[in-house]
Amino acid sequence: MKIAEAASDERGALAWGQKGDQTGNEVRIREMTGKETGSGTFSLILRYPDKKKRAAFAKDAKEIALNDYFGYAQYGPDGDPYAGRYGIWNAMQQPDFKSFAEVRIFCNTDCSQMTCCALNHNGIAAPATMRTATEVAQLSALGFRQYPYTVGSCVLGDVVWRQGHTAIVIEAPEGEGEELMYSAKIISSKDTRHWLRAFRRPGTSSWNGYARKTNSKSVMFFADLLAKDITSSPPEGLRLNVE
């Protein structure tokens, strides 16, 4: 699985970098490893329920990462509309450019602005001023759903987030529309009120999680056995299909 992200400028810094990608690694594509840019891992998946929209987010994020006219800087010289984080946003206002791949103006972006541009290009009105500190609330208000982050839980077009950094998943299983579809098998069953089921996501071969029911009203969902991400109830749309 891979993400597209705006990471840092040519010096590894966050501000005042030159316009455009000087190293080929400022705005980039990379494998998802679970250990992400900066001081920690991602903590949330922000998933839009429309599968076609998610695929479009991924396509545009990939175009941004592959276009070396796009570099990294949160801030740049006053008066230059392309030098700071709004560089791509401003470039896409030019009538000559219908896609990110067509842009031929050296400019900059940062992680949340890159995400914002990809979403807006596909009709999702994320505020231009969105930053990681406001992203979860703002995208949730636009219909994105929150899930605990693990690499294996991501689908194509997911926005992944932690405080201080965000990115878009550009290579992963497509996932379903508004539902998460899992295959499941019963590991143990005392009766209809007490059972344990393992499950796996579509396109994967390993059993990577389980759900446990301890009485007729209580279900504890464990998103991933390795990461130990636990929620008090199943994610919205989860459907366990017993094999």
Side-chain angles (χ1 to χ4, degrees):
M1 296 192 188
K2 294 182 180 180
I3 55 173
E5 65 179 357
S8 61
D9 72 12
E10 66 274 7
R11 304 159 299 156
L14 301 180
W16 311 107
Q18 297 182 53
K19 290 181 290 186
D21 198 330
Q22 309 299 312
T23 65
N25 204 42
E26 296 182 37
V27 183
R28 65 192 183 186
I29 294 169
R30 68 169 177 82
E31 294 285 345
M32 300 172 69
T33 64
K35 290 294 184 182
E36 314 304 340
T37 298
S39 60
T41 64
F42 292 117
S43 56
L44 281 179
I45 295 169
L46 298 168
R47 178 173 299 152
Y48 198 69
D50 188 312
K51 179 179 176 180
K52 291 182 179 179
K53 288 282 190 185
R54 293 198 306 266
F57 303 159
K59 175 181 178 293
D60 281 348
K62 185 174 183 178
E63 285 189 6
I64 292 171
L66 291 175
N67 189 339
D68 284 343
Y69 279 83
F70 301 148
Y72 187 100
Q74 292 184 5
Y75 303 100
D78 290 343
D80 187 337
Y82 305 115
R85 70 188 299 264
Y86 297 108
I88 295 180
W89 180 279
N90 291 328
M92 288 298 289
Q93 308 309 307
Q94 303 302 314
D96 293 340
F97 306 135
K98 303 301 182 185
S99 73
F100 296 103
E102 296 174 0
V103 174
R104 292 297 180 267
I105 297 173
F106 286 108
C107 54
N108 288 326
T109 190
D110 66 8
C111 62
S112 53
Q113 246 299 303
M114 189 203 84
T115 298
C116 182
C117 286
L119 301 187
N120 272 269
H121 194 238
N122 292 287
I124 306 301
T129 55
M130 184 180 79
R131 295 182 180 271
T132 55
T134 61
E135 182 177 0
V136 174
Q138 289 170 329
L139 295 192
S140 295
L142 293 171
F144 284 74
R145 297 169 179 169
Q146 299 179 36
Y147 302 96
Y149 171 81
T150 65
V151 172
S153 297
C154 293
V155 299
L156 185 71
D158 277 347
V159 175
V160 289
W161 176 94
R162 68 166 173 81
Q163 187 61 54
H165 192 52
T166 190
I168 294 177
V169 178
I170 64 162
E171 289 188 17
E174 288 189 356
E176 298 297 322
E178 295 195 9
E179 291 190 358
L180 299 175
M181 296 295 295
Y182 289 83
S183 297
K185 65 179 180 181
I186 292 177
I187 298 175
S188 63
S189 179
K190 182 178 179 181
D191 52 44
T192 58
R193 295 175 48 163
H194 299 82
W195 48 255
L196 181 66
R197 291 177 181 172
F199 66 88
R200 62 185 171 210
R201 291 178 55 257
T204 63
S205 59
S206 61
W207 297 97
N208 53 20
Y210 65 91
R212 181 174 62 200
K213 187 173 185 180
T214 56
N215 58 55
S216 59
K217 295 182 180 180
S218 176
V219 175
M220 184 67 75
F221 173 77
F222 293 74
D224 189 294
L225 290 175
L226 297 178
K228 305 296 184 186
D229 288 328
I230 300 173
T231 58
S232 59
S233 60
E236 184 176 354
L238 174 66
R239 191 163 73 205
L240 290 174
N241 296 323
V242 179
E243 291 189 341

